[in-house]
Amino acid sequence: MILKEMKNIEKNKVQKKRETFSSGIAVFFATLSSAVGLGNIWKFPSMVGTNGGGAFILVYLVAVLLVSLPVMISEFYIGRRSRRNTVGAFDKLNAPPFFKIVGYLGVISTSLILFFYSAVSGWVYSYLFKAIKGDFKELGSLTMDQATDKITKAFDTTIGGNISPMLWQLIPILFVTIIIIAGVKQGIEKVTKTSMPILFLLIIITCVIALSLDGASQGIDFLLKIDLSTITPSMVLAALGLAFFKLSIGVGTMITYGSYITDDNSMIGNAFKVMLSDTLVSITVGLAIFPAVFTFGLEPTEGPALLFNTIPLVFSRIPFGNLLIIIFFLLTSLAATMSMLSLVEVPVAFLIEEVNIKRKTAVIFIMSITAIVGLLTVHPQSILGNIKVFGLSFFDLFDYISSNILMPVTGLLIIIFVGYFTRKSDIYNELSNNHSLRNKWTIRIFYLLAKYLAPILILIVFLNSLGLLG
Ligand code: PHE
């Protein structure tokens, strides 16, 4: 009993020093910077390409609206109401002990994602460097076949090289370490508030130029053409997984960032704005990539290499192309780094508050694990790089487990907690900032989605894709 009291006093001390973001706009940029990342620029186009275009986008949008949005609002609710990390939050809200598992799952999933995310971020940084060095300039003077051959080889050596991919992976890890050590306001907030507007500008520039290419209309057709016959259970699961991944939900990120949201913030409004902006960014990136794919006769189904091959190939053939390649990979590096910040903050906040260690130590601990395990498992040339589990490399396995299993399951538990184990009045109080916002109707809609529709949809998609619904 006394021990518990002492623990609580200790926790309250941590609680008092707890930071928050400083304004509504800071909350918006921070949460959006988590959402916008490699998911939008690298995963979204490649998944749209391999899953047949418009129909996939349609399913994805339905998933975002009916599932991701209510899960995001639920995470914000849990975070701000408790003002704790993912594990401590459920304690603070007097959740049945079982729900603590949600917090631990979050810590595990964010780490798994970090392992492969930092690898892809490393590729992006290395492409930025190549572009700055002018490596892609000569592509423009080669024939299309020669250029394609060259760029495919460049990608293979970038990801398969002996030592360089590992070194590149360390660079984003290092940046993120420095920023996260600086803290919530001085680190995350400062970086995201200055970088997000630049990111938007860069995306718009690339998109406008891509849309002026000859194959633009074919690219747009591909994005808008909806062939319902391409919809399969595994495609729906992939779309749902992406809807979780892109909005950074189902891993406790939005619980953690939610715990830094100011008291006067309209969290439903913020979730809506983040969802909308994130979707716009994805579509804009799609509009930048697919016209290019069709103009130059590339395959939209190229998968993970799509971004890395198309962008240099295409832009090297137009005026000021090299500058554009630099811009594009710069924006991708920025987006990747900022999403990594939010991934790292989950285990870091957990270690600070639950294990009682200093921020700096927590960050260095997590980032060292990311570096070591990430390097060992992700790179084909490393000791564990060639091992396959269930026919998948560690890279694909971590991606599959986090996006297609852990995120939907954790998301489901989060929404069940809010829908079934939380007092309705608490939800109304928190989401209306103690009735200072006039948003009763939006809360009501949210509540219905969270209690009935979203959990049922997640469950159906999940069981169906496992083949359990016949
Ligand atoms: N949303 C990020 C992206 O689209 C990835 C991410 C997932 C970040 C989960 C945090 C938590 O790239």
Side-chain angles (χ1 to χ4, degrees), residues 32-41 43 110 113 117 242 244-254 278 335-336 338-340 342-344 346 407:
L32 182 63
S33 78
S34 166
V36 172
L38 293 172
N40 304 60
I41 304 170
K43 244 183 172 208
T110 41
I113 297 174
Y117 208 91
L242 185 66
F244 273 90
F245 188 87
K246 285 232 305 83
L247 291 178
S248 311
I249 52 173
V251 289
T253 300
M254 292 305 181
D278 180 82
M338 289 188 280
S339 292
M340 274 177 77
S342 69
L343 283 162
V344 181
V346 174
M407 286 179 146

Side-chain angles (χ1 to χ4, degrees), residues 38 90 146 149 178 247 433 453:
L38 293 172
F90 289 93
Q146 287 169 330
D149 192 48
I178 297 168
L247 291 178
N433 299 346
L453 200 59

